[in-house]
Amino acid sequence: MVLLETLSLRHEYDGRPVLIDVNLRINSGEVFALIGPTGAGKTTLLRLLDLLETPTFGNIHFNGVDVTNSSRQRAETRRRMSFVQQRPIVFTMSVYDNVSCGLRWRREKNETIRKKVDNALELVNLADYRNRNAKKLSGGETQRVAIARALVTEPELLFLDEPTANLDPVSTAKVEEVLARVIRERKATIMMATHNMSQGQRIADRIGVLIGGKVLQIGSPNDIFCLPTNMEVAEFVGVENILKGTIINKDDNLVTIQVNSSTVQAISDYEKGEAVYALIRPEDVIFTLAKNKTSARNVFEGKITKIASVGPLVRIEVDCGFPLLGVITKRSAEELGLKVGGRIRANSKATAVHVIKRWA
């Protein structure tokens, strides 16, 4: 069931468009991640959906009811939502009192407050922190207090704005553990804005890519990261081999794409003569030295132009008549004895090449 829907949502600041024709459907019980570069409009969209601001144009429906403009409906609907900001504010009081404040404002009974706060603190692994001064907590602990405070009112929809943006890796892992537990135990509906793409992959059921104020693609994590539908999304999610070419042959769904003086084979529904981009993720490129027998349709020989270590991995750039980037482990690079200027073979299966239409 659709819980939240936007229809042609547009928002402007001083006449400058920040969001353009945003159409979203968030289903009850799903986790939806909104990814995009800084300044894309992610926080603005969350604020509109949480009814903190009114859109310039378009409509917002919550549970089938248009809540765009009615002050009464907006107020009633906001009580059914919670918002965790990127930099949450905690009050100079105990963790328990911070988490309970929303319930006290709603005039809940003391016994009800105690039970709900205890449950929320247990959920975020802060039960032993109830009497601590919230102002003296670490960044990760503060974020968990904010999540508990948002959950204690039992919202139908939880918004998270960059929930781990300012945290170290250990604190990030703890917050993600809490979110996984919330999703598992509360069956919560969550909409999360994040620039951490791997976080979106780990947590979300669906992902929307927001670039330049427009939602360019919505789909499963696999769709977004392996099957981008346009250049902007492909570049943003890290498909670094974007090869410009034209389909010169088609045999069933196996197409041959002319890329400079070389050809690339892929699986595609596009027809002969179509101008396309062939997308190959670096991790789908396999390097060998010898002319080993392989089932890969694409075998390119070229000269290594660059080698760069990135943590436990090594990025290899090869001139195959077109630039091709691959990623291998340091151990594999050492075993192959790779060096700049050396010759190498780069292999890629046809099924690992994603083809999108090329627009002028």
Side-chain angles (χ1 to χ4, degrees):
M1 182 183 75
V2 177
L3 181 64
L4 182 70
E5 183 176 15
T6 69
L7 302 172
S8 301
L9 206 64
R10 181 182 178 90
H11 198 56
E12 299 176 354
Y13 289 129
D14 298 325
R16 180 178 62 87
V18 179
L19 295 170
I20 304 166
D21 293 330
V22 174
N23 294 285
L24 289 176
R25 284 188 170 192
I26 310 301
N27 298 315
S28 181
E30 83 166 328
V31 180
F32 187 97
L34 190 68
I35 65 174
T38 301
K42 300 189 295 298
T43 297
T44 298
L45 180 54
L46 289 192
R47 289 181 59 82
L48 291 176
L49 298 180
D50 193 43
L51 307 180
L52 293 169
E53 298 182 40
T54 302
T56 307
F57 302 102
N59 299 86
I60 301 171
H61 290 189
F62 186 85
N63 209 19
V65 176
D66 189 338
V67 296
T68 313
N69 296 307
S70 167
S71 297
R72 180 182 60 82
Q73 287 179 334
R74 289 172 70 86
E76 290 177 356
T77 303
R78 285 216 69 235
R79 290 173 63 87
R80 300 162 68 181
M81 303 172 173
S82 286
F83 193 119
V84 178
Q85 300 178 48
Q86 182 175 340
R87 293 181 176 84
I89 297 171
V90 292
F91 307 118
T92 307
M93 55 179 68
S94 70
V95 168
Y96 179 93
D97 288 336
N98 267 273
V99 175
S100 68
C101 61
L103 297 174
R104 296 191 187 283
W105 294 336
R106 297 181 185 211
R107 302 184 184 279
E108 296 271 10
K109 294 180 179 179
N110 286 337
E111 183 60 22
T112 300
I113 291 173
R114 185 188 63 78
K115 288 181 179 179
K116 289 185 176 182
V117 173
D118 286 347
N119 287 338
L121 290 176
E122 183 68 34
L123 189 64
V124 300
N125 297 320
L126 288 177
D128 295 336
Y129 289 61
R130 56 186 289 121
N131 296 320
R132 293 196 188 185
N133 185 338
K135 284 288 190 179
K136 296 184 179 180
L137 299 178
S138 69
E141 292 162 350
T142 299
Q143 194 73 316
R144 283 188 279 157
V145 169
I147 292 171
R149 189 169 58 192
L151 290 172
V152 77
T153 58
E154 300 175 344
E156 295 174 53
L157 178 57
L158 175 63
F159 294 105
L160 301 169
D161 188 10
E162 302 280 5
T164 60
N166 304 302
L167 304 182
D168 60 78
V170 173
S171 297
T172 294
K174 288 182 179 179
V175 170
E176 286 190 6
E177 286 175 13
V178 165
L179 293 178
R181 189 175 180 185
V182 168
I183 293 164
R184 183 175 65 251
E185 296 185 13
R186 291 285 182 97
K187 309 297 182 185
T189 304
I190 296 174
M191 184 169 182
M192 173 179 70
T194 180
H195 69 270
N196 185 333
M197 290 185 285
S198 60
Q199 186 174 77
Q201 284 181 289
R202 290 191 295 271
I203 295 176
D205 300 307
R206 289 192 302 146
I207 294 175
V209 184
L210 183 68
I211 298 176
K214 297 180 180 180
V215 177
L216 298 184
Q217 185 175 349
I218 296 174
S220 69
N222 184 71
D223 290 338
I224 299 299
F225 289 93
C226 297
L227 303 172
T229 56
N230 56 65
M231 273 281 285
E232 291 94 335
V233 174
E235 290 176 336
F236 180 71
V237 301
V239 181
E240 297 179 83
N241 296 309
I242 303 177
L243 311 178
K244 182 179 179 180
T246 303
I247 296 176
I248 59 173
N249 190 41
K250 183 172 184 180
D251 184 5
D252 289 332
N253 283 340
L254 180 66
V255 297
T256 302
I257 304 167
Q258 184 77 47
V259 178
N260 294 344
S261 59
S262 301
T263 57
V264 176
Q265 291 193 312
I267 304 299
S268 174
D269 292 329
Y270 290 124
E271 298 298 328
K272 182 178 177 180
E274 289 271 19
V276 297
Y277 290 107
L279 312 180
I280 308 175
R281 297 193 69 88
E283 56 269 30
D284 289 327
V285 177
I286 301 170
F287 292 114
T288 60
L289 292 178
K291 294 183 179 180
N292 298 331
K293 190 173 182 179
T294 175
S295 61
R297 286 273 182 179
N298 298 303
V299 181
F300 312 110
E301 187 170 341
K303 182 172 70 174
I304 299 173
T305 57
K306 187 174 181 180
I307 299 175
S309 294
V310 182
L313 301 176
V314 177
R315 291 163 58 91
I316 312 293
E317 294 184 24
V318 182
D319 181 1
C320 305
F322 53 83
L324 187 68
L325 172 67
V327 178
I328 60 176
T329 64
K330 282 187 176 180
R331 183 174 178 178
S332 295
E334 291 169 358
E335 290 175 349
L336 290 171
L338 302 183
K339 61 181 180 180
V340 173
R343 305 291 296 181
I344 198 167
R345 293 167 68 85
N347 308 320
S348 177
K349 293 183 177 180
T351 52
V353 181
H354 178 53
V355 182
I356 62 174
K357 190 171 182 178
R358 176 155 50 96
W359 287 271

PDB file of all heavy atoms in Angstrom, residues 213-236:
ATOM      1  N   GLY A 213      18.130  18.429  -8.649  1.00  0.00           N
ATOM      2  CA  GLY A 213      16.734  18.666  -8.326  1.00  0.00           C
ATOM      3  C   GLY A 213      15.751  17.719  -8.990  1.00  0.00           C
ATOM      4  O   GLY A 213      14.544  17.812  -8.760  1.00  0.00           O
ATOM      5  N   LYS A 214      16.249  16.782  -9.799  1.00  0.00           N
ATOM      6  CA  LYS A 214      15.381  15.837 -10.500  1.00  0.00           C
ATOM      7  C   LYS A 214      15.668  14.409 -10.044  1.00  0.00           C
ATOM      8  O   LYS A 214      16.832  14.033  -9.862  1.00  0.00           O
ATOM      9  CB  LYS A 214      15.588  15.920 -12.011  1.00  0.00           C
ATOM     10  CG  LYS A 214      15.228  17.255 -12.626  1.00  0.00           C
ATOM     11  CD  LYS A 214      15.464  17.236 -14.133  1.00  0.00           C
ATOM     12  CE  LYS A 214      15.101  18.563 -14.779  1.00  0.00           C
ATOM     13  NZ  LYS A 214      15.321  18.539 -16.250  1.00  0.00           N
ATOM     14  N   VAL A 215      14.617  13.614  -9.873  1.00  0.00           N
ATOM     15  CA  VAL A 215      14.785  12.193  -9.595  1.00  0.00           C
ATOM     16  C   VAL A 215      14.976  11.499 -10.943  1.00  0.00           C
ATOM     17  O   VAL A 215      14.041  11.366 -11.727  1.00  0.00           O
ATOM     18  CB  VAL A 215      13.566  11.615  -8.846  1.00  0.00           C
ATOM     19  CG1 VAL A 215      13.745  10.110  -8.642  1.00  0.00           C
ATOM     20  CG2 VAL A 215      13.391  12.299  -7.498  1.00  0.00           C
ATOM     21  N   LEU A 216      16.207  11.065 -11.199  1.00  0.00           N
ATOM     22  CA  LEU A 216      16.541  10.531 -12.516  1.00  0.00           C
ATOM     23  C   LEU A 216      16.284   9.036 -12.646  1.00  0.00           C
ATOM     24  O   LEU A 216      16.118   8.535 -13.756  1.00  0.00           O
ATOM     25  CB  LEU A 216      18.020  10.816 -12.828  1.00  0.00           C
ATOM     26  CG  LEU A 216      18.414  12.288 -12.894  1.00  0.00           C
ATOM     27  CD1 LEU A 216      19.876  12.422 -13.311  1.00  0.00           C
ATOM     28  CD2 LEU A 216      17.519  13.051 -13.865  1.00  0.00           C
ATOM     29  N   GLN A 217      16.271   8.319 -11.521  1.00  0.00           N
ATOM     30  CA  GLN A 217      16.011   6.883 -11.597  1.00  0.00           C
ATOM     31  C   GLN A 217      15.577   6.383 -10.234  1.00  0.00           C
ATOM     32  O   GLN A 217      16.075   6.832  -9.191  1.00  0.00           O
ATOM     33  CB  GLN A 217      17.267   6.109 -12.050  1.00  0.00           C
ATOM     34  CG  GLN A 217      17.024   4.614 -12.261  1.00  0.00           C
ATOM     35  CD  GLN A 217      18.248   3.903 -12.834  1.00  0.00           C
ATOM     36  OE1 GLN A 217      19.210   4.528 -13.263  1.00  0.00           O
ATOM     37  NE2 GLN A 217      18.221   2.574 -12.837  1.00  0.00           N
ATOM     38  N   ILE A 218      14.628   5.443 -10.232  1.00  0.00           N
ATOM     39  CA  ILE A 218      14.180   4.765  -9.011  1.00  0.00           C
ATOM     40  C   ILE A 218      14.199   3.272  -9.290  1.00  0.00           C
ATOM     41  O   ILE A 218      13.750   2.819 -10.338  1.00  0.00           O
ATOM     42  CB  ILE A 218      12.756   5.195  -8.612  1.00  0.00           C
ATOM     43  CG1 ILE A 218      12.727   6.687  -8.264  1.00  0.00           C
ATOM     44  CG2 ILE A 218      12.249   4.373  -7.431  1.00  0.00           C
ATOM     45  CD1 ILE A 218      11.322   7.218  -7.998  1.00  0.00           C
ATOM     46  N   GLY A 219      14.751   2.498  -8.366  1.00  0.00           N
ATOM     47  CA  GLY A 219      14.770   1.054  -8.553  1.00  0.00           C
ATOM     48  C   GLY A 219      15.412   0.354  -7.378  1.00  0.00           C
ATOM     49  O   GLY A 219      15.744   0.969  -6.360  1.00  0.00           O
ATOM     50  N   SER A 220      15.590  -0.940  -7.515  1.00  0.00           N
ATOM     51  CA  SER A 220      16.267  -1.726  -6.490  1.00  0.00           C
ATOM     52  C   SER A 220      17.743  -1.324  -6.457  1.00  0.00           C
ATOM     53  O   SER A 220      18.256  -0.731  -7.414  1.00  0.00           O
ATOM     54  CB  SER A 220      16.152  -3.214  -6.798  1.00  0.00           C
ATOM     55  OG  SER A 220      16.922  -3.525  -7.961  1.00  0.00           O
ATOM     56  N   PRO A 221      18.452  -1.627  -5.370  1.00  0.00           N
ATOM     57  CA  PRO A 221      19.889  -1.332  -5.352  1.00  0.00           C
ATOM     58  C   PRO A 221      20.627  -1.913  -6.553  1.00  0.00           C
ATOM     59  O   PRO A 221      21.515  -1.270  -7.122  1.00  0.00           O
ATOM     60  CB  PRO A 221      20.351  -1.959  -4.030  1.00  0.00           C
ATOM     61  CG  PRO A 221      19.154  -1.848  -3.140  1.00  0.00           C
ATOM     62  CD  PRO A 221      17.979  -2.116  -4.048  1.00  0.00           C
ATOM     63  N   ASN A 222      20.249  -3.120  -6.975  1.00  0.00           N
ATOM     64  CA  ASN A 222      20.911  -3.729  -8.128  1.00  0.00           C
ATOM     65  C   ASN A 222      20.632  -2.928  -9.397  1.00  0.00           C
ATOM     66  O   ASN A 222      21.532  -2.714 -10.219  1.00  0.00           O
ATOM     67  CB  ASN A 222      20.439  -5.166  -8.310  1.00  0.00           C
ATOM     68  CG  ASN A 222      21.168  -5.869  -9.439  1.00  0.00           C
ATOM     69  OD1 ASN A 222      22.354  -6.193  -9.343  1.00  0.00           O
ATOM     70  ND2 ASN A 222      20.474  -6.116 -10.538  1.00  0.00           N
ATOM     71  N   ASP A 223      19.375  -2.463  -9.555  1.00  0.00           N
ATOM     72  CA  ASP A 223      19.031  -1.658 -10.732  1.00  0.00           C
ATOM     73  C   ASP A 223      19.880  -0.389 -10.788  1.00  0.00           C
ATOM     74  O   ASP A 223      20.419  -0.023 -11.839  1.00  0.00           O
ATOM     75  CB  ASP A 223      17.554  -1.252 -10.698  1.00  0.00           C
ATOM     76  CG  ASP A 223      16.616  -2.418 -10.935  1.00  0.00           C
ATOM     77  OD1 ASP A 223      17.056  -3.417 -11.525  1.00  0.00           O
ATOM     78  OD2 ASP A 223      15.454  -2.331 -10.523  1.00  0.00           O
ATOM     79  N   ILE A 224      19.986   0.294  -9.651  1.00  0.00           N
ATOM     80  CA  ILE A 224      20.672   1.580  -9.613  1.00  0.00           C
ATOM     81  C   ILE A 224      22.167   1.424  -9.866  1.00  0.00           C
ATOM     82  O   ILE A 224      22.761   2.178 -10.653  1.00  0.00           O
ATOM     83  CB  ILE A 224      20.440   2.285  -8.262  1.00  0.00           C
ATOM     84  CG1 ILE A 224      18.948   2.554  -8.044  1.00  0.00           C
ATOM     85  CG2 ILE A 224      21.250   3.573  -8.182  1.00  0.00           C
ATOM     86  CD1 ILE A 224      18.309   3.441  -9.063  1.00  0.00           C
ATOM     87  N   PHE A 225      22.797   0.449  -9.219  1.00  0.00           N
ATOM     88  CA  PHE A 225      24.254   0.355  -9.273  1.00  0.00           C
ATOM     89  C   PHE A 225      24.772  -0.508 -10.422  1.00  0.00           C
ATOM     90  O   PHE A 225      25.923  -0.361 -10.824  1.00  0.00           O
ATOM     91  CB  PHE A 225      24.790  -0.169  -7.940  1.00  0.00           C
ATOM     92  CG  PHE A 225      24.658   0.842  -6.829  1.00  0.00           C
ATOM     93  CD1 PHE A 225      23.552   0.846  -6.006  1.00  0.00           C
ATOM     94  CD2 PHE A 225      25.622   1.812  -6.649  1.00  0.00           C
ATOM     95  CE1 PHE A 225      23.407   1.789  -5.006  1.00  0.00           C
ATOM     96  CE2 PHE A 225      25.494   2.767  -5.651  1.00  0.00           C
ATOM     97  CZ  PHE A 225      24.377   2.762  -4.829  1.00  0.00           C
ATOM     98  N   CYS A 226      23.934  -1.381 -10.960  1.00  0.00           N
ATOM     99  CA  CYS A 226      24.385  -2.238 -12.060  1.00  0.00           C
ATOM    100  C   CYS A 226      23.686  -1.934 -13.383  1.00  0.00           C
ATOM    101  O   CYS A 226      24.222  -2.250 -14.444  1.00  0.00           O
ATOM    102  CB  CYS A 226      24.156  -3.711 -11.703  1.00  0.00           C
ATOM    103  SG  CYS A 226      25.102  -4.267 -10.271  1.00  0.00           S
ATOM    104  N   LEU A 227      22.510  -1.309 -13.318  1.00  0.00           N
ATOM    105  CA  LEU A 227      21.746  -1.049 -14.532  1.00  0.00           C
ATOM    106  C   LEU A 227      21.272   0.404 -14.594  1.00  0.00           C
ATOM    107  O   LEU A 227      20.076   0.686 -14.725  1.00  0.00           O
ATOM    108  CB  LEU A 227      20.525  -1.984 -14.597  1.00  0.00           C
ATOM    109  CG  LEU A 227      20.813  -3.489 -14.536  1.00  0.00           C
ATOM    110  CD1 LEU A 227      19.517  -4.266 -14.401  1.00  0.00           C
ATOM    111  CD2 LEU A 227      21.582  -3.937 -15.772  1.00  0.00           C
ATOM    112  N   PRO A 228      22.193   1.366 -14.493  1.00  0.00           N
ATOM    113  CA  PRO A 228      21.776   2.780 -14.573  1.00  0.00           C
ATOM    114  C   PRO A 228      21.162   3.073 -15.932  1.00  0.00           C
ATOM    115  O   PRO A 228      21.570   2.516 -16.948  1.00  0.00           O
ATOM    116  CB  PRO A 228      23.088   3.537 -14.363  1.00  0.00           C
ATOM    117  CG  PRO A 228      24.162   2.583 -14.761  1.00  0.00           C
ATOM    118  CD  PRO A 228      23.663   1.234 -14.392  1.00  0.00           C
ATOM    119  N   THR A 229      20.174   3.969 -15.931  1.00  0.00           N
ATOM    120  CA  THR A 229      19.437   4.232 -17.174  1.00  0.00           C
ATOM    121  C   THR A 229      19.954   5.438 -17.937  1.00  0.00           C
ATOM    122  O   THR A 229      19.498   5.703 -19.049  1.00  0.00           O
ATOM    123  CB  THR A 229      17.944   4.445 -16.868  1.00  0.00           C
ATOM    124  OG1 THR A 229      17.806   5.518 -15.915  1.00  0.00           O
ATOM    125  CG2 THR A 229      17.318   3.178 -16.304  1.00  0.00           C
ATOM    126  N   ASN A 230      20.878   6.203 -17.341  1.00  0.00           N
ATOM    127  CA  ASN A 230      21.400   7.368 -18.060  1.00  0.00           C
ATOM    128  C   ASN A 230      22.810   7.688 -17.575  1.00  0.00           C
ATOM    129  O   ASN A 230      23.284   7.139 -16.587  1.00  0.00           O
ATOM    130  CB  ASN A 230      20.471   8.578 -17.909  1.00  0.00           C
ATOM    131  CG  ASN A 230      20.211   8.926 -16.465  1.00  0.00           C
ATOM    132  OD1 ASN A 230      21.128   9.309 -15.742  1.00  0.00           O
ATOM    133  ND2 ASN A 230      18.974   8.778 -16.024  1.00  0.00           N
ATOM    134  N   MET A 231      23.453   8.577 -18.290  1.00  0.00           N
ATOM    135  CA  MET A 231      24.852   8.919 -18.019  1.00  0.00           C
ATOM    136  C   MET A 231      25.047   9.513 -16.643  1.00  0.00           C
ATOM    137  O   MET A 231      25.997   9.180 -15.932  1.00  0.00           O
ATOM    138  CB  MET A 231      25.357   9.910 -19.072  1.00  0.00           C
ATOM    139  CG  MET A 231      25.903   9.261 -20.314  1.00  0.00           C
ATOM    140  SD  MET A 231      27.570   8.644 -20.064  1.00  0.00           S
ATOM    141  CE  MET A 231      28.492  10.183 -20.104  1.00  0.00           C
ATOM    142  N   GLU A 232      24.144  10.417 -16.239  1.00  0.00           N
ATOM    143  CA  GLU A 232      24.310  11.086 -14.947  1.00  0.00           C
ATOM    144  C   GLU A 232      24.310  10.091 -13.797  1.00  0.00           C
ATOM    145  O   GLU A 232      25.134  10.153 -12.894  1.00  0.00           O
ATOM    146  CB  GLU A 232      23.200  12.131 -14.740  1.00  0.00           C
ATOM    147  CG  GLU A 232      23.294  13.324 -15.662  1.00  0.00           C
ATOM    148  CD  GLU A 232      22.451  13.139 -16.912  1.00  0.00           C
ATOM    149  OE1 GLU A 232      22.199  11.975 -17.288  1.00  0.00           O
ATOM    150  OE2 GLU A 232      22.070  14.155 -17.516  1.00  0.00           O
ATOM    151  N   VAL A 233      23.373   9.142 -13.851  1.00  0.00           N
ATOM    152  CA  VAL A 233      23.300   8.128 -12.795  1.00  0.00           C
ATOM    153  C   VAL A 233      24.517   7.215 -12.854  1.00  0.00           C
ATOM    154  O   VAL A 233      25.122   6.884 -11.824  1.00  0.00           O
ATOM    155  CB  VAL A 233      21.996   7.313 -12.904  1.00  0.00           C
ATOM    156  CG1 VAL A 233      22.001   6.161 -11.895  1.00  0.00           C
ATOM    157  CG2 VAL A 233      20.789   8.203 -12.677  1.00  0.00           C
ATOM    158  N   ALA A 234      24.901   6.807 -14.051  1.00  0.00           N
ATOM    159  CA  ALA A 234      26.059   5.921 -14.207  1.00  0.00           C
ATOM    160  C   ALA A 234      27.315   6.547 -13.615  1.00  0.00           C
ATOM    161  O   ALA A 234      28.064   5.900 -12.883  1.00  0.00           O
ATOM    162  CB  ALA A 234      26.276   5.592 -15.686  1.00  0.00           C
ATOM    163  N   GLU A 235      27.545   7.808 -13.921  1.00  0.00           N
ATOM    164  CA  GLU A 235      28.729   8.493 -13.400  1.00  0.00           C
ATOM    165  C   GLU A 235      28.652   8.638 -11.884  1.00  0.00           C
ATOM    166  O   GLU A 235      29.647   8.457 -11.181  1.00  0.00           O
ATOM    167  CB  GLU A 235      28.869   9.860 -14.056  1.00  0.00           C
ATOM    168  CG  GLU A 235      29.267   9.782 -15.526  1.00  0.00           C
ATOM    169  CD  GLU A 235      29.311  11.139 -16.202  1.00  0.00           C
ATOM    170  OE1 GLU A 235      28.634  12.071 -15.723  1.00  0.00           O
ATOM    171  OE2 GLU A 235      30.020  11.262 -17.219  1.00  0.00           O
ATOM    172  N   PHE A 236      27.462   8.948 -11.359  1.00  0.00           N
ATOM    173  CA  PHE A 236      27.325   9.163  -9.921  1.00  0.00           C
ATOM    174  C   PHE A 236      27.552   7.885  -9.127  1.00  0.00           C
ATOM    175  O   PHE A 236      28.162   7.917  -8.049  1.00  0.00           O
ATOM    176  CB  PHE A 236      25.948   9.746  -9.593  1.00  0.00           C
ATOM    177  CG  PHE A 236      25.753   9.979  -8.126  1.00  0.00           C
ATOM    178  CD1 PHE A 236      26.429  11.003  -7.473  1.00  0.00           C
ATOM    179  CD2 PHE A 236      24.915   9.161  -7.388  1.00  0.00           C
ATOM    180  CE1 PHE A 236      26.279  11.202  -6.112  1.00  0.00           C
ATOM    181  CE2 PHE A 236      24.752   9.351  -6.028  1.00  0.00           C
ATOM    182  CZ  PHE A 236      25.430  10.379  -5.389  1.00  0.00           C
TER     183      PHE A 236
END
